[in-house]
Amino acid sequence: MHGVKLFTGAAVSVLLMALAGPVPALADTIEAALVRAYQNNPQLNAQRAQVRSTDEGVPQALSGYRPKVNLSLSSGYQYQDVQPTQKGLAIHSDPPLQPNAASVSVSQTLYNGNQTANKTRAAESQVSGTREALRSMDQSVLLSAATIYMDYLRDSATLEVQRSNVRVLEQTLKQTRDRFNVGEVTRTDVAQSEAQLAAGRTQALTAESTLTTTRANFRRIIGNEPTNLAPGSPVDRFLPPTLASAVELSLIQHPDVTAAMYGIDVNYLQVKINEGALLPTVTVAATASTAYQQQLTVFRTSTASAIATASVPIFQGGAEYSLIRQSKENLAQQRLNLEKTRDTVRANVVQFWGTLQAGKAQVQSAQAQVTASEIALNGVREEAKAGQRTTLDVLNAQQALVNARVALVTAQHDRVVASYNVLAAVGRLAPQVLGLNTTVYDPSVHYQQVRDSWVGVRTPDGR
């Protein structure tokens, strides 16, 4: 009896306390782990860099509105020797000429079939789509962090259950051997106890190996070794009240859906850009130049010009028409991708919502199973003392209790992870929603810094 108490109360309390009381001040909480993952996860930071790179597409598109200025300088030596074909004087340069020239040209596109305007709008839509991809990555990293946090709690609690079971089985084997020595049980009872202890040690070693793997993944995702983890709790309070409202919300605000919508905008504008290649182009160019000693008889020449040019494409081999047709097919494909994305999001919400509801019931069932298994084990032990039960009956009841404890740990883990999965499926797994104590990354800051930049090679962070 005393041996059973070694593992019935403490082994699973790590998770049971998640909804039962305050978190110790020095414990690492799931919220703190999510903050570290949000700030330091390399995959997430790489996606942020991708958004900043996409921002540069807007000033690149806006450059089509701006003039292009070129300065040309030349200098050197030139020797000329002119021999006339008829009677006349030969001309040669002695000393050699030193031709120097400088010219500046400015060109400005006045109209190009609205290609610049459509390229700018497409770049802006691309930026918006990439931001939604970043929001999706935010959700993925936070979900992975919450999952690995709960995985470590589950696996560490499971290991404690198995180690406690080994201690109980060692005591049971000792008691069985003592009873065998006084003739109360047979050698078979001792062998059964030894076999069960060996199996228990194997299960403990397996649980320890699993925990080692989980610890490595915890370090990879969150960025530090797990130490003194506080219990995790579900995030049901952030979820919509019904499945129907959850599905409706996901189809509006899930980042995969909104990213696909921006993808349609980008492809639609690409059609317009390609169609613009069939329209006239109007440009104006101004040039001023000065040249010295370009010829033997002329010391300096200065020129200035301003020319407007209108170019109307007639036929350019047919490639422009092919690009228009191709971009229309890409647009149709993107619209179908949006429908596919919506179907996937809807299915995920329904799936995880069902998993969450089942998880709530499984926790209650597992708790009832543990309680019943404890009572059954105590009863079997008392009956074994009276000779009404065998050693094998006691060992089987012991294993049943161990299995019930592991099932309870797993059910509590699944219950918390399912709530995070539903929140992510809806599209609301974000630091703002969770109320995490961290500065939220704002991609619009970098965008505003570079959007209207005309010159400069340094990034806003100084690189």
Side-chain angles (χ1 to χ4, degrees):
M1 289 291 294
H2 177 70
V4 177
K5 293 180 181 179
L6 290 176
F7 72 95
T8 55
V12 196
S13 61
V14 172
L15 295 180
L16 288 177
M17 290 182 354
L19 301 176
V23 175
L26 298 180
D28 188 12
T29 64
I30 190 171
E31 290 80 11
L34 293 180
V35 168
R36 291 196 299 276
Y38 181 77
Q39 293 175 342
N40 305 320
N41 185 272
Q43 187 179 13
L44 184 53
N45 285 326
Q47 186 66 31
R48 290 167 180 162
Q50 176 63 41
V51 173
R52 294 192 295 271
S53 174
T54 305
D55 289 343
E56 296 292 349
V58 177
Q60 291 169 17
L62 287 172
S63 67
Y65 286 122
R66 299 164 185 163
K68 295 178 175 59
V69 181
N70 290 304
L71 175 64
S72 176
L73 301 174
S74 65
S75 180
Y77 289 90
Q78 180 179 351
Y79 175 78
Q80 288 185 341
D81 188 355
V82 180
Q83 298 292 335
T85 58
Q86 297 180 357
K87 222 180 198 185
L89 295 175
I91 302 175
H92 60 273
S93 55
D94 188 17
L97 298 176
Q98 297 183 16
N100 300 309
S103 66
V104 59
S105 62
V106 180
S107 63
Q108 174 67 60
T109 300
L110 301 181
Y111 179 76
N112 61 354
N114 292 324
Q115 291 187 67
T116 298
N118 289 325
K119 286 180 179 179
T120 301
R121 291 167 58 196
E124 291 171 342
S125 295
Q126 189 68 47
V127 168
S128 298
T130 310
R131 289 181 185 179
E132 294 306 299
L134 174 60
R135 196 158 67 89
S136 181
M137 182 61 69
D138 287 344
Q139 290 205 145
S140 178
V141 168
L142 291 176
L143 179 60
S144 296
T147 301
I148 197 64
Y149 187 97
M150 296 306 302
D151 286 351
Y152 189 84
L153 287 177
R154 176 199 60 195
D155 295 342
S156 59
T158 299
L159 177 58
E160 180 58 28
V161 168
Q162 298 297 349
R163 285 175 173 173
S164 298
N165 179 49
V166 169
R167 290 193 293 268
V168 173
L169 291 175
E170 288 173 344
Q171 184 175 351
T172 300
L173 176 59
K174 180 178 180 300
Q175 294 173 350
T176 303
R177 283 174 175 170
D178 292 341
R179 294 177 65 190
F180 172 73
N181 291 333
V182 298
E184 293 183 3
V185 296
T186 65
R187 178 61 188 169
T188 301
D189 295 304
V190 175
Q192 289 172 339
S193 296
E194 290 173 342
Q196 195 73 3
L197 175 58
R201 286 172 174 166
T202 299
Q203 292 172 343
L205 291 172
T206 301
E208 186 174 358
S209 175
T210 300
L211 183 62
T212 300
T213 301
T214 304
R215 182 183 292 108
N217 288 329
F218 189 102
R219 175 69 176 81
R220 174 178 60 86
I221 296 173
I222 296 180
N224 66 290
E225 295 292 335
T227 305
N228 191 24
L229 302 188
S233 60
V235 288
D236 296 357
R237 60 191 180 278
F238 303 122
L239 299 178
T242 64
L243 174 59
S245 60
V247 170
E248 181 180 2
L249 191 61
S250 68
L251 296 179
I252 297 174
Q253 70 172 23
H254 194 282
D256 290 350
V257 173
T258 51
M261 290 179 177
Y262 285 118
I264 291 178
D265 293 340
V266 171
N267 281 272
Y268 172 77
L269 291 167
Q270 188 60 50
V271 174
K272 295 300 180 182
I273 292 170
N274 291 334
E275 289 176 345
L278 301 178
L279 299 176
T281 300
V282 179
T283 60
V284 61
T287 303
S289 64
T290 298
Y292 294 87
Q293 297 187 31
Q294 301 293 315
Q295 301 177 16
L296 288 174
T297 58
V298 179
F299 176 72
R300 184 181 69 180
T301 302
S302 296
T303 61
S305 64
I307 301 173
T309 304
S311 174
V312 181
I314 303 300
F315 182 73
Q316 298 171 329
E320 65 275 24
Y321 297 103
S322 177
L323 287 173
I324 293 173
R325 296 193 301 270
Q326 184 182 50
S327 58
K328 288 181 177 179
E329 293 295 344
N330 291 338
L331 174 59
Q333 179 188 21
Q334 188 60 40
R335 285 171 174 162
L336 294 173
N337 286 339
L338 173 59
E339 294 304 314
K340 176 185 175 182
T341 301
R342 283 173 171 164
D343 290 340
T344 301
V345 168
R346 183 186 295 108
N348 287 340
V349 172
V350 174
Q351 174 189 347
F352 291 125
W353 188 276
T355 302
L356 176 60
Q357 301 309 312
K360 296 177 182 178
Q362 287 170 355
V363 170
Q364 295 178 353
S365 298
Q367 289 173 337
Q369 182 183 0
V370 169
T371 301
S373 297
E374 289 177 350
I375 296 173
L377 177 58
N378 292 335
V380 169
R381 283 184 174 275
E382 293 298 327
E383 292 171 0
K385 290 180 180 180
Q388 298 176 341
R389 294 279 186 169
T390 65
T391 301
L392 181 59
D393 293 330
V394 176
L395 295 174
N396 289 339
Q398 174 82 12
Q399 187 59 46
L401 180 56
V402 171
N403 294 340
R405 288 289 183 185
V406 173
L408 177 58
V409 169
T410 303
Q412 290 175 319
H413 162 275
D414 294 345
R415 163 78 173 85
V416 175
V417 172
S419 68
Y420 278 91
N421 273 306
V422 174
L423 194 62
V426 172
R428 289 178 51 80
L429 185 54
Q432 304 93 315
V433 176
L434 297 175
L436 299 182
N437 185 22
T438 182
T439 301
V440 178
Y441 181 80
D442 184 2
S444 66
V445 173
H446 178 268
Y447 175 79
Q448 294 300 331
Q449 289 173 332
V450 302
R451 186 184 190 279
D452 297 314
S453 178
W454 285 48
V455 295
V457 296
R458 285 188 176 272
T459 59
D461 62 2
R463 287 178 290 115

